[in-house]
Amino acid sequence: MCGIVGLYTKTEALRPTLGQHLSEMLITMTDRGPDSAGIAVYGADTPGTVKITVQADDPALLSDLDVPGAAIRIVDTHAVLSLPADTAAATEAQLRATPGLRVMGTGSRIEIFKEVGLPVDVSRRFGLPQMRGTHGIGHTRMATESAVTTDGAHPFSTGADQCLVHNGSLSNHNSVRRRLAREGVSVSSENDSEVAAAYLTHAMAGGRDLGQALEGALDDLDGFFTFVVGTRTGFGVLRDPIACKPAVMAETDDYVAFGSEYRALASLPGIETARVWEPEPAKVYFWEA
């Protein structure tokens, strides 16, 4: 089941209200996924600075965070640490080793927030309508292959400024997981979607761009899936060759939008004159600034 939304702005017009539009789109997809929800938003970057988003079930762990040189912004069960790039890797390793903390994502622009609960509650808790940025993706989950947990919620991020949301199921994710492990890539959750995210990150680390990595997924990942992927400057969409999961896209001079159903796009400005289409099976769609 699950619901996916995404919005990639091509001009400045929608960037101040990106979060508002993503929130409305996400909440519209509630009946496709009432178990948990999450969003990734790409905001402004500061040269020489890296952001690390962490989550804790116990808010006291966030209040007690003491990271030298880091500015810490607490948002409900998450905290965004902004720190010098040359200390980010060591800090991330320290955070990952701290009991009770989960690293949601890192990068110069990305912030990821996800929790168990209805999309309307998740959006409110993290202040999604007030967020601004160039692009963002969101997911509402109906758990089928693993437990309803924060770990199982989307988006999944396995590389700097990269994330993925997924609707569907991969039949060969365990074999891909083992192959990635042999090549030094670990996947922490049981979710097949994190395997897909790690696959794309690994492919891009090997020199492919996002479009080429998505092309490779058609050969290496089996099952039925719709992927929406974000990078620091890009936005990509891919459906499997059967394409049994619903998907619709819309494009204007100001934006490109994705929704599992058209109703997720219906409130976007200019939708009445947008080019609206169903993305073709096994075709990579990719926009980049």
Side-chain angles (χ1 to χ4, degrees):
M1 196 66 171
C2 299
I4 298 175
V5 298
L7 185 60
Y8 178 84
T9 65
K10 298 190 286 184
T11 66
E12 181 65 31
L14 292 183
R15 291 172 185 172
T17 55
L18 178 81
Q20 174 188 330
H21 294 300
L22 276 176
S23 179
E24 292 171 357
M25 296 164 73
L26 193 75
I27 292 168
T28 301
M29 290 291 94
T30 295
D31 58 2
R32 295 194 63 85
D35 297 331
S36 62
I39 52 97
V41 171
Y42 291 83
D45 61 351
T46 301
T49 299
V50 168
K51 295 190 287 188
I52 304 175
T53 308
V54 297
Q55 184 270 352
D57 292 334
D58 180 2
L61 292 174
L62 301 178
S63 300
D64 293 340
L65 280 176
D66 183 15
V67 180
I72 301 175
R73 174 168 54 93
I74 297 177
V75 187
D76 199 81
T77 57
H78 290 49
V80 180
L81 288 72
S82 299
L83 64 162
D86 58 0
T87 66
T91 300
E92 181 182 351
Q94 176 187 344
L95 293 169
R96 290 188 183 277
T98 302
L101 292 183
R102 302 181 182 93
V103 174
M104 298 285 100
T106 67
S108 62
R109 299 184 59 203
I110 193 173
E111 296 181 9
I112 294 179
F113 304 94
K114 58 184 183 178
E115 273 296 356
V116 171
L118 290 171
V120 65
D121 295 327
V122 173
S123 174
R124 174 186 51 79
R125 288 171 64 180
F126 296 121
L128 176 55
Q130 287 74 50
M131 294 183 188
R132 58 182 297 155
T134 56
H135 55 298
I137 62 178
H139 186 272
T140 66
R141 183 171 184 236
M142 181 174 288
T144 55
E145 82 293 349
S146 59
V148 180
T149 62
T150 303
D151 277 343
H154 301 215
F156 285 100
S157 179
T158 56
D161 282 312
Q162 293 176 235
C163 67
L164 170 145
V165 292
H166 168 211
N167 182 16
S169 180
L170 301 178
S171 59
N172 68 333
H173 65 96
N174 283 324
S175 62
V176 175
R177 186 191 300 263
R178 289 191 293 269
R179 193 187 86 188
L180 289 170
R182 289 193 297 269
E183 297 176 5
V185 180
S186 62
V187 177
S188 60
S189 78
E190 299 177 355
N191 198 298
D192 59 346
S193 307
E194 188 177 10
V195 174
Y199 169 88
L200 294 175
T201 299
H202 188 52
M204 294 178 71
R208 301 182 185 182
D209 63 24
L210 176 57
Q212 293 168 330
L214 289 170
E215 289 280 2
L218 291 170
D219 295 324
D220 294 333
L221 302 180
D222 294 331
F224 52 96
F225 54 83
T226 298
F227 296 149
V228 177
V229 184
T231 69
R232 183 179 180 277
T233 58
F235 176 80
V237 172
L238 178 66
R239 302 173 81 193
D240 68 84
I242 299 174
C244 62
K245 290 295 182 179
V248 63
M249 301 192 72
E251 184 170 13
T252 71
D253 290 340
D254 291 323
Y255 64 82
V256 178
F258 177 95
S260 292
E261 300 176 25
Y262 175 78
R263 59 195 174 102
L265 313 180
S267 64
L268 289 174
I271 191 66
E272 64 277 358
T273 58
R275 181 173 76 93
V276 178
W277 77 100
E278 180 181 353
E280 296 181 18
K283 179 176 178 179
V284 172
Y285 296 85
F286 179 39
W287 290 263
E288 189 170 39

